[in-house]
Amino acid sequence: MGLTGLEIFKQLPKTNCKDCGQPTCLAFAMQLASGKASLDQCPHVSDAAKEALDSASAPPVALVKIGKGDKELQLGNETVLFRHDKRFEHPTGIAITVNDNDSDIAGKVAAINKLVFDRVGQIHKVNLVAVNNASGDAAKFAEAVKTVQDSADFALVLMTEDATAMEKALEVAGENAPLICGANAANFDAMLALAKKYDAPLVVKGADLNELAALVEKAGYKKLILDSGAREVNKVLADQTQIRRQALKKFRPFGYPTITFADNPDPIQAIVDAGVYIAKYAGIVVLNTADPADVLPLITLRLNIYTDPQKPIAVESKLYEVGTPGPDAPVFVTTNFSLTYFCVQGDVEAGRISAYIMPVDTDGISVLTGWAAGKFTPEKITEMLNSCGVADKVSHKKLIIPGGVAVLSGKLQELSGWEVLVGPRESAGIPSFIKQRWNA
Amino acid sequence: SITPTEPLFKKIKLQLLEPSLDDHVDDMSRLYSELNKMAEVDSPCIDLEIIQKLPQTVRKGNWKVTVSLADIKGRTEIVNIEPGWDYKKYYGLALDIGTTTVVAHLVDLESGESLGVEGTYNKQAVFGDDVISRIIYAVEHKKGLEQMQTTIITTINELIDNLVEGSHVDHNDIWYITCAANTTMTHLFLGIDPEYIRLEPYVPAFNSINPITAADLSIKANPKARIYCLPGIASYVGGDITAGVEVTGIDKQDDINLFIDVGTNGEMVLGNSEWLVACACSAGPAFEGGGIAYGMRAMDGAIEHIRVTPGTLDVYWETVGNKKPVGICGSGLIDCISTLREAGVIDRTGNFLPLPANERVQIIDGEKLFILVPAEESGTGTDITISQTDIKDLIRSKAAVFAGVQTMLKTVGLPVEAIERVYIAGGFGRYINLHDAINIGMFPDLPLERYKYIGNSSVKGAKMALLSKEARREAEKLAEKITYIELSIGNDFMEEFVSALFIPHTNVDLFPSINQACN
């Protein structure tokens, strides 16, 4: 495991000079520990400390780069077994296979280039094209590599265990640092020599974990991707887990990203397998399909799994329905802090009230905290009133706000044009409040 | 009491050499060289006004003078020169400007004794009970800030009036004032815009400021008296907390200690001589009686201890001053949760359990409540009750305190057992029944002897700084050194908070002593 903030702090100059942009040395050390700052932001750290920290904070999984320029894909630097412990750093690279004996290689690459999806306002795509020497012919392989390289928007994985074919392919694509896939016990020296010659990343495949560790030790090369040789999903899962676990314990031979293959002939099974690999530590998952319907769920899963979990616990800020609200149903305003929202929702439900609940986006903080920090304001409530469509669903213009922020009522009424009712301070009082005060 | 080794203000007697034809050094140099010899003061600051009167003053006293020296963050200023050695006594004021109460000590700067202590409510309360409402008032009302500043100055001046009257001291003989307050209070006191304290990323205008004069703020002391505010750390951890750390001295010990100010803001500091971290957990006013239907401060008639007998649900209570009960104060509320849980009235989430009919448990206006004191026994003529809502409020407050402690420990990667000593501060602190506080999961389950009450550490720290330049220097260094943890960033605090919304906690392993008692 990495160093704690306190351990790093002991090596810092303790001047609290603020030159790093943090108010104290300890604050800086804590940022370093969580990987949110880098040591060179401190101009005063001694060389001895730098050395001690660099070696001790070296990531348990090495950072490996595939491809060059804007096609470059970074993998590794992972530090945890479970995302909630900190976060997963580099999303799994998705590679789509193209066989060198395909009739329409350019067409298939064009289809891969189109695997670009818009998820929550961001663009997400596949990352690699894997050229497979299915023909077994070196010349044909090199030719396919050339075609793919010329048309693909992504970095390449060169898949052959034949060193001669690999050599030919590298003559075409070597300078762009493709992933050489790969070395095994039989072709090890030749493949390693090629990787070194082109300074390209290399997949090392062992017959099992023991052989894999031995081969990595023998390699004496740092740009490696690991393949435990397993192909059945249960075995891959076991090996992936073991590799990550050992890497975190600083077992150096396993301190590299991994590659996995989801090549089950049943496309649905293949996608399910790939899902397992994305969730369980795979650096790369290689797919045989370029069907958008197959790739989209994986892209989505990857986005979700690799999301930074250090964010407030919030519900989506949108209009919610409890029961079967009609046009005369009450509208409750609250914040999108999940604890707050579920209190309100629970109490509304317990009172058998059909209603709308409108949780305003306060970055996941509670009503009073949101009010204190200026995030639960009449402006923001009005904005949500106007944008969430509640006006079309109810026939009245009455809004119930939490009793704790009664002070907002005047300005909110003025801004929104809705009649503002101040509800009880506690959501537990909602049922009796509705009984006594609500008539739409 | 503190020995005034190096007060921020002192008068010293000097015998200057009489000038002659062989020694015709100017008056000021004559004064300075003697000052340097006797008090090791090098190149002091001095006002023109004093120099203007200097030739007369030194001769009037026949070359004997009394010089008044004030410390301005390490530099010495000559604030007054009197002829002769027959000087008037001089005093200082140590102030704690709390959100709710303001406390002042009138201190004899020669003996270090407090001649009088006065406390009163902060009159700013009419603009809001908590710092947030006051910031909003100051920002959103025309002249709001000015109003707020005038109000606190009026509050302080009234305290000074009472103190000088009681001690027969002249306003003009108060020469130095130190003040410990939270960041918002300091801003409002000095008339500095507090708007951005509450807005992300929560930045105050300043943490540390040079002393200003009493005349600048119309404080009723010598117009030249200096006012020094103890340095703050961040938006919600102010000079009052720096003062608390100074008083506990946790920054001087190798052991890891925890300081908790159990108040509305719930500030706490963890650390030792090497490092210190601080946070504010916003516990809310529940333990000060705020927001609780029958909650009150620990005054006469407040229930401070209470026991409910399992089964019969008979209630035994003790009140402050043995008066008829009129409400329930912080310690009583902690007891109350603890005993209601033990008596099986509420479950671990604070919800009332279904019970056989008993006149103590009632539903009024749709809400369940427990009658602590029936109307005929109370001092108010009405039932004193605790409701479901009150209980939930208290559980949230205690959860915030515990979650603050856990989050700080987690941030530095230490287990709770690493804490050698816990200092509990706050006016209400000394009424806490520790056993019950641990029982409900408010404080960590550490041996009771590790806990220590220190009362109002804010005013104590202000007094320390007043009487010792060293303490003042240390406070400055301390404030620079303390690392503020912003609890609203990341999930740690929220997760800890949610886990602590149980009695005593979701993870009972954190409370081994209670766990044992149950088995």
Side-chain angles (χ1 to χ4, degrees):
Chain A
M1 285 304 285
L3 289 175
T4 67
L6 271 190
E7 285 163 338
I8 295 174
F9 169 71
K10 294 199 169 112
Q11 305 278 349
L12 294 179
K14 297 175 191 160
T15 51
N16 299 324
C17 68
K18 303 182 171 67
D19 286 353
C20 59
Q22 295 295 327
T24 63
C25 289
L26 182 57
F28 180 57
M30 293 194 289
Q31 293 280 313
L32 281 175
S34 63
K36 285 178 188 153
S38 77
L39 194 56
D40 42 334
Q41 282 167 265
C42 173
H44 310 292
V45 69
S46 73
D47 288 341
K50 208 172 251 172
E51 202 170 299
L53 289 175
D54 272 347
S55 62
S57 62
V61 179
L63 184 75
V64 177
K65 299 171 182 175
I66 302 167
K68 291 212 167 138
D70 50 7
K71 294 179 181 176
E72 182 185 278
L73 175 67
Q74 298 194 352
L75 301 169
N77 260 1
E78 301 298 336
T79 56
V80 289
L81 272 179
F82 303 103
R83 60 189 286 274
H84 63 255
D85 284 341
K86 191 188 261 177
R87 69 185 157 268
F88 287 167
E89 299 287 340
H90 288 114
T92 307
I94 297 177
I96 312 285
T97 311
V98 175
N99 288 315
D100 65 353
N101 55 6
D102 269 350
S103 52
D104 180 16
I105 292 177
K108 188 147 189 208
V109 172
I112 294 169
N113 284 343
K114 281 191 202 145
L115 293 173
V116 173
F117 306 91
D118 184 341
R119 302 295 304 164
V120 288
Q122 296 168 319
I123 301 299
H124 292 273
K125 39 191 173 182
V126 300
N127 314 85
L128 299 159
V129 180
V131 191
N132 183 25
N133 186 12
S135 67
D137 181 291
K140 203 159 186 181
F141 184 49
E143 194 189 324
V145 168
K146 179 157 188 0
T147 313
V148 174
Q149 174 164 269
D150 288 347
S151 50
D153 290 345
F154 308 107
L156 302 192
V157 183
L158 309 181
M159 295 209 294
T160 181
E161 293 186 345
D162 173 357
T164 325
M166 186 62 80
E167 189 166 10
K168 280 234 180 282
L170 283 168
E171 280 166 19
V172 176
E175 61 184 30
N176 289 324
L179 177 60
I180 301 173
C181 182
N184 55 30
N187 65 17
F188 194 74
D189 295 332
M191 283 291 183
L192 182 63
L194 284 172
K196 284 182 175 167
K197 179 177 171 191
Y198 288 98
D199 192 27
L202 173 69
V203 172
V204 177
K205 177 180 168 189
D208 56 28
L209 288 178
N210 288 327
E211 190 184 274
L212 178 62
L215 286 175
V216 171
E217 298 239 87
K218 189 175 148 196
Y221 186 64
K222 295 289 174 203
K223 298 187 173 182
L224 298 180
I225 302 279
L226 308 180
D227 179 354
S228 72
R231 292 297 180 262
E232 307 82 26
V233 64
N234 60 335
K235 192 72 180 48
V236 177
L237 174 61
D239 286 355
Q240 288 285 322
T241 308
Q242 204 48 243
I243 290 173
R244 171 66 62 89
R245 217 181 253 169
Q246 297 306 324
L248 296 187
K249 288 186 191 160
K250 298 265 167 142
F251 178 64
R252 285 296 174 193
F254 285 171
Y256 299 96
T258 58
I259 188 167
T260 56
F261 300 86
D263 48 9
N264 195 299
D266 173 1
I268 292 177
Q269 188 59 48
I271 296 311
V272 172
D273 293 353
V276 171
Y277 304 157
I278 286 172
K280 288 296 174 186
Y281 322 126
I284 299 171
V285 56
V286 182
L287 306 173
N288 284 334
T289 169
D291 183 344
D294 292 340
V295 178
L296 177 62
L298 293 178
I299 295 263
T300 309
L301 178 69
R302 178 180 69 175
L303 169 66
N304 290 345
I305 296 282
Y306 280 82
T307 298
D308 189 346
Q310 303 294 326
K311 298 232 174 91
I313 311 160
V315 297
E316 200 186 330
S317 177
K318 62 170 193 190
L319 191 66
Y320 290 85
E321 294 180 0
V322 178
T324 48
D328 56 351
V331 179
F332 295 97
V333 177
T334 185
T335 73
N336 73 332
F337 176 38
S338 56
L339 210 59
T340 302
Y341 172 78
F342 286 115
C343 276
V344 175
Q345 193 238 31
D347 284 321
V348 170
E349 217 162 53
R352 294 167 208 264
I353 303 162
S354 283
Y356 291 100
I357 305 179
M358 211 179 85
V360 174
D361 184 357
T362 52
D363 298 332
I365 58 179
S366 70
V367 166
L368 285 173
T369 320
W371 170 73
K375 292 180 180 184
F376 192 50
T377 58
E379 290 80 4
K380 283 188 93 163
I381 299 170
T382 305
E383 195 187 308
M384 182 157 183
L385 260 180
N386 295 336
S387 63
C388 75
V390 68
D392 303 331
K393 302 209 169 181
V394 294
S395 54
H396 59 85
K397 279 191 112 186
K398 284 185 193 169
L399 198 58
I400 300 165
I401 64 168
V405 289
V407 290
L408 300 182
S409 61
K411 193 161 177 202
L412 177 59
Q413 191 147 332
E414 211 172 281
L415 270 177
S416 65
W418 284 55
E419 183 187 340
V420 177
L421 306 178
V422 177
R425 288 186 66 88
E426 295 289 328
S427 62
I430 287 177
S432 62
F433 174 84
I434 290 295
K435 238 178 260 164
Q436 291 161 18
R437 299 273 315 274
W438 181 257
N439 38 18
Chain B
S1 111
I2 312 142
T3 332
T5 44
E6 264 190 305
L8 293 183
F9 175 92
K10 65 178 172 187
K11 292 188 178 182
I12 59 164
K13 300 170 185 172
L14 292 181
Q15 170 72 65
L16 306 183
L17 288 173
E18 208 167 321
S20 66
L21 281 173
D22 296 332
D23 174 10
H24 44 78
V25 172
D26 62 272
D27 290 344
M28 198 162 85
S29 304
R30 196 170 295 278
L31 172 74
Y32 279 19
S33 77
E34 197 61 33
L35 196 58
N36 188 274
K37 220 187 303 169
M38 299 304 294
E40 289 176 19
V41 171
D42 200 23
S43 55
C45 313
I46 188 164
D47 275 351
L48 177 61
E49 193 192 331
I50 297 174
I51 305 171
Q52 283 167 340
K53 292 181 192 153
L54 185 64
Q56 293 305 326
T57 311
V58 289
R59 285 168 184 85
K60 194 169 161 195
N62 203 13
W63 304 99
K64 281 189 170 76
V65 288
T66 302
V67 181
S68 297
L69 301 173
D71 175 86
I72 315 289
K73 271 208 182 169
R75 289 200 64 189
T76 304
E77 183 177 0
I78 299 174
V79 285
N80 196 23
I81 301 181
E82 298 162 66
W85 285 358
D86 192 17
Y87 65 82
K88 288 180 81 180
K89 281 182 72 69
Y90 51 99
Y91 305 93
L93 200 69
L95 265 178
D96 160 41
I97 308 180
T99 311
T100 311
T101 51
V102 184
V103 177
H105 282 232
L106 179 67
V107 182
D108 180 328
L109 289 178
E110 282 176 291
S111 69
E113 296 293 322
S114 290
L115 300 182
V117 181
E118 289 277 339
T120 183
Y121 285 104
N122 187 335
K123 291 187 202 295
Q124 286 175 338
V126 295
F127 306 111
D129 284 336
D130 54 85
V131 293
I132 300 296
S133 327
R134 293 193 207 162
I135 292 173
I136 292 175
Y137 186 91
V139 172
E140 289 189 352
H141 287 76
K142 217 177 156 185
K143 297 207 172 174
L145 177 57
E146 210 180 298
Q147 246 177 310
M148 206 72 90
Q149 189 190 13
T150 314
T151 307
I152 183 61
I153 288 171
T154 310
T155 309
I156 294 169
N157 279 339
E158 281 182 20
L159 282 180
I160 297 178
D161 285 343
N162 292 340
L163 282 169
V164 296
E165 195 177 316
S167 319
H168 307 290
V169 168
D170 191 297
H171 283 103
N172 274 313
D173 293 328
I174 299 175
W175 278 100
Y176 217 109
I177 296 167
T178 53
C179 156
N182 66 51
T183 306
T184 305
M185 288 304 116
T186 312
H187 278 60
L188 296 177
F189 176 46
L190 300 178
I192 294 168
D193 186 353
E195 182 170 8
Y196 302 98
I197 288 178
R198 80 173 180 114
L199 301 178
E200 213 171 70
Y202 319 109
V203 178
F206 69 95
N207 279 320
S208 170
I209 194 169
N210 278 336
I212 41 166
T213 65
D216 288 336
L217 291 184
S218 311
I219 290 285
K220 286 171 128 183
N222 190 299
K224 286 187 183 170
R226 291 287 175 164
I227 301 174
Y228 170 70
C229 296
L230 270 77
I233 293 141
S235 275
Y236 293 117
V237 181
D240 50 345
I241 301 307
T242 310
V245 175
E246 184 72 36
V247 168
T248 58
I250 64 175
D251 60 312
K252 293 188 189 72
Q253 297 162 32
D254 293 337
D255 285 339
I256 291 160
N257 290 327
L258 174 67
F259 163 79
I260 309 179
D261 188 344
V262 187
T264 311
N265 301 321
E267 300 98 334
M268 45 185 89
V269 183
L270 176 75
N272 61 5
S273 53
E274 269 191 51
W275 54 269
L276 292 159
V277 291
C279 68
C281 71
S282 315
F287 290 123
E288 295 170 283
I292 304 294
Y294 288 90
M296 65 182 286
R297 296 196 316 117
M299 304 183 310
D300 276 359
I303 299 174
E304 56 176 346
H305 290 295
I306 191 160
R307 278 283 161 257
V308 176
T309 316
T312 60
L313 302 189
D314 291 337
V315 180
Y316 299 93
W317 38 260
E318 286 168 26
T319 59
V320 178
N322 287 322
K323 300 277 167 37
K324 271 193 160 188
V326 290
I328 178 162
C329 70
S331 59
L333 289 165
I334 291 171
D335 276 18
C336 197
I337 303 296
S338 175
T339 191
L340 286 176
R341 169 71 195 118
E342 280 176 348
V345 176
I346 54 174
D347 66 11
R348 286 184 56 204
T349 64
N351 284 321
F352 278 92
L353 285 162
L355 283 171
N358 187 302
E359 75 271 15
R360 293 235 176 228
V361 183
Q362 300 205 353
I363 298 177
I364 294 174
D365 284 342
E367 202 182 23
K368 274 199 176 170
L369 40 81
F370 186 88
I371 298 170
L372 299 170
V373 181
E376 58 271 22
E377 290 173 45
S378 83
T380 54
T382 53
D383 290 345
I384 296 174
T385 63
I386 185 155
S387 69
Q388 184 75 79
T389 306
D390 294 337
I391 292 169
K392 292 278 180 177
D393 236 21
L394 288 160
I395 289 178
R396 275 196 291 272
S397 288
K398 77 96 190 166
V401 171
F402 190 76
V405 175
Q406 286 286 100
T407 308
M408 283 207 297
L409 286 168
K410 208 163 155 187
T411 309
V412 292
L414 288 173
V416 68
E417 303 80 54
I419 302 173
E420 275 308 315
R421 193 165 270 286
V422 187
Y423 294 95
I424 308 289
F428 123 105
R430 70 200 162 88
Y431 305 103
I432 298 181
N433 177 334
L434 279 174
H435 179 78
D436 280 329
I438 292 171
N439 214 15
I440 65 167
M442 177 170 177
F443 293 153
D445 191 3
L446 293 166
L448 296 187
E449 60 271 18
R450 292 199 194 177
Y451 285 87
K452 194 175 182 217
Y453 299 128
I454 54 170
N456 185 340
S457 57
S458 177
V459 75
K460 282 184 193 161
K463 190 175 164 186
M464 268 174 83
L466 183 64
L467 292 175
S468 157
K469 285 186 200 172
E470 181 56 27
R472 194 268 305 151
R473 265 195 294 273
E474 276 179 6
E476 289 289 329
K477 270 193 270 169
L478 206 53
E480 289 270 305
K481 186 176 153 186
I482 297 175
T483 301
Y484 176 64
I485 303 172
E486 176 58 56
L487 295 181
S488 62
I489 299 173
N491 276 349
D492 284 351
F493 179 73
M494 235 356 123
E495 279 172 13
E496 291 293 345
F497 176 69
V498 174
S499 314
L501 287 174
F502 275 67
I503 306 171
H505 197 270
T506 324
N507 178 4
V508 285
D509 292 343
L510 284 169
F511 291 85
S513 73
I514 300 168
N515 218 3
Q516 250 167 16
C518 296
N519 291 338

